[in-house]
Amino acid sequence: MARNYEEMRRIYMSGGIDEAEVAADPAEQFHRWFAEALDSSPGDWFEANAMTLATSDSLGRVAARIVLLKGFEGDSPLFYTSYDSDKGRQLAENPAAAVCFYWSHLERQIRIEGRVEKVDPELSDRYFQSRPRGSQLGALASQQSAVVASRQVLEDRVAELDALYQGQEVPRPESWGGYRLLTHRYEFWQGRPDRVHDRIVYLREDAGGWQRKRLSP
Ligand SMILES: Cc1cc2nc3c(=O)[nH]c(=O)nc-3n(C[C@H](O)[C@H](O)[C@H](O)COP(=O)(O)O)c2cc1C
């Protein structure tokens, strides 16, 4: 039975954003908030680095899904996936992308927008080799986003590859690797009472550097 969604609401009380305190560089501000999200972690289940990634194809059809933040190059967030997946195909057609974090226990949202580029293959190799062997085999066995006849087909493929690479390094599939999000906009949102929230946006200036503004909630 459907819940009464209309009556579900939360009063945000945790804090506010003091403009005098925020970092001049938005990546630095991200790292501060990320550290605070981890320090106040509500439990082992909490994945602070899970972010919603929105992409769209050449016809403007939009899709969103969660991926994991796996690092930064300067102020560019990094994530890893299959270049042949639906998102990979969309990003090849239209490199514009946005990511969004929501840390419910802190009543904070961070939005980051830009365009993606593939990272260097050496970096993808390095990260792939750092993953548990099971995840490596899983990535090799899966044609991400393609229809598969059954779960058994996938499990048989993993077992086959496990036997094939027994005692050896599992090679990174060429179709699997990282993207960096070259950013032009960061936004930090802190929930406040009566929906009068704080929103601080950073916009990249042509000359380099960032312009900072407060947005109406
Ligand atoms: C918590 C969580 C973390 C995920 N991390 C990744 C990831 O880092 N990379 C990835 O390709 N998919 C990840 N996924 C799966 C994606 O959400 C998605 O199902 C998959 O990438 C296929 O998306 P696509 O068909 O739009 O390409 C994750 C899902 C969840 C729920």
Side-chain angles (χ1 to χ4, degrees), residues 5 7 11-12 17 31 34 38 54 73 81 100 106 109 114 123 134 137 157 163 185 196 211 216:
Y5 295 104
E7 282 183 8
I11 300 169
Y12 303 115
I17 306 178
H31 298 316
F34 195 84
L38 288 182
E73 277 181 1
T81 190
C100 183
L106 292 179
Q109 170 181 247
L123 180 59
L137 292 169
R157 181 83 186 124
R185 186 184 191 281
V196 188
Q211 199 181 67
S216 185

Side-chain angles (χ1 to χ4, degrees), residues 82 91 115 117-118 141 154 159:
S82 162
L91 289 168
R115 71 184 160 81
E117 276 180 358
K118 289 181 183 174
L154 281 175

Side-chain angles (χ1 to χ4, degrees), residues 8-149:
M8 295 178 70
R9 61 177 61 82
R10 173 167 164 190
I11 300 169
Y12 303 115
M13 307 279 287
S14 293
I17 306 178
D18 180 349
E19 274 155 287
E21 294 282 307
V22 295
D25 178 63
E28 170 57 27
Q29 183 61 30
F30 181 93
H31 298 316
R32 286 185 196 169
W33 272 25
F34 195 84
E36 288 171 18
L38 288 182
D39 289 347
S40 59
S41 172
D44 289 345
W45 52 267
F46 173 57
E47 291 181 280
N49 60 333
M51 57 187 187
T52 301
L53 166 70
T55 56
S56 72
D57 66 12
S58 54
L59 296 176
R61 292 176 298 203
V62 181
R65 81 293 282 158
I66 307 263
V67 295
L68 296 177
L69 172 71
K70 285 290 167 178
F72 271 83
E73 277 181 1
D75 53 37
S76 299
L78 307 179
F79 60 92
Y80 291 86
T81 190
S82 162
Y83 295 139
D84 290 343
S85 64
D86 281 353
K87 78 179 86 49
R89 272 190 291 276
Q90 289 179 332
L91 289 168
E93 287 180 22
N94 176 8
V99 296
C100 183
F101 297 81
Y102 175 48
W103 297 322
S104 168
H105 64 297
L106 292 179
E107 303 170 347
R108 284 177 175 175
Q109 170 181 247
I110 303 178
R111 297 167 52 175
I112 310 175
E113 293 164 19
R115 71 184 160 81
V116 299
E117 276 180 358
K118 289 181 183 174
V119 303
D120 300 336
E122 295 71 34
L123 180 59
S124 294
D125 282 337
R126 184 144 49 83
Y127 174 63
F128 187 80
Q129 291 310 332
S130 77
R131 301 180 84 201
R133 182 180 166 83
S135 308
Q136 295 173 341
L137 292 169
L140 202 55
S142 162
Q143 285 186 13
Q144 197 177 50
S145 313
V147 173
V148 61

